Amino acid sequence: MNQALETIYKRKGTKSYTSQQVNEEDLKLILTAGIHGPTARNNQNRHFTVVQNKEFLRRIDRGTFERMTAPAPDYYPLFQAPTCIVVSAPADYNFADQDCAIAVENMTLAATSLGLGSRYLVSPTRFFEHESGARIKNEIGVP
């Protein structure tokens, strides 16, 4: 079977991760796949913020949990993943959702091809858009 199709068919949303950190070489390959995603009018108007600090991940997880409607008390929105890549674009950019979504899809496929689990999450966006998420968004460097 074609390798690209095999990777697409194999990719699943992961809900359980080990505590082992993604190595730097794999992380660079994953980010490069995201950067290579097409953008409207070739604007390249996206930003990739890598979060691997456990305290920041915990704060993002808890803040996201608090913005959700009636999750189970032991639910972890980030599924305790050791790495989170926040993909963002300017709020006034008309194609932000599409361009970011394509980048994330490329990164999930790259992770799958490297034997890593991944998950496309939108819930943290609600936290970052809320005033309670503005401080951590600034702390981790999301423009």
Side-chain angles (χ1 to χ4, degrees):
M1 177 183 291
N2 174 291
Q3 188 174 358
L5 292 175
E6 187 176 317
T7 301
I8 290 168
Y9 298 159
K10 185 178 176 183
R11 195 210 66 73
K12 303 282 186 249
T14 303
K15 291 185 178 181
S16 179
Y17 297 89
T18 68
S19 60
Q20 183 179 345
Q21 197 50 264
V22 177
N23 73 56
E24 190 172 336
E25 183 180 326
D26 286 349
L27 184 58
K28 284 180 182 179
L29 291 169
I30 292 166
L31 289 167
T32 301
I35 290 166
H36 277 82
T39 59
R41 300 183 184 135
N42 199 28
N43 279 320
Q44 304 298 319
N45 209 0
R46 300 156 305 185
H47 186 268
F48 302 84
T49 305
V50 178
V51 182
Q52 295 181 309
N53 177 287
K54 289 180 182 183
E55 178 58 23
F56 284 141
L57 290 168
R58 186 195 64 75
R59 289 173 56 197
I60 295 166
D61 191 75
R62 288 298 87 198
T64 301
F65 178 88
E66 291 167 4
R67 302 293 308 149
M68 298 178 84
T69 306
D74 61 345
Y75 181 70
Y76 295 93
L78 300 185
F79 300 95
Q80 299 178 317
T83 299
C84 176
I85 302 172
V86 180
V87 182
S88 57
D92 63 349
Y93 176 53
N94 288 336
F95 304 104
D97 290 346
Q98 295 86 348
D99 288 0
C100 290
I102 291 168
V104 171
E105 180 65 8
N106 274 13
M107 290 189 295
T108 63
L109 292 172
T112 299
S113 74
L114 295 168
L116 300 170
S118 64
R119 188 163 192 89
Y120 185 125
L121 298 172
V122 178
S123 298
T125 304
R126 293 183 181 93
F127 169 58
F128 288 130
E129 289 174 345
H130 189 265
E131 62 186 73
S132 63
R135 181 174 175 189
I136 191 167
K137 187 171 138 181
N138 185 51
E139 289 177 43
I140 64 174
V142 175

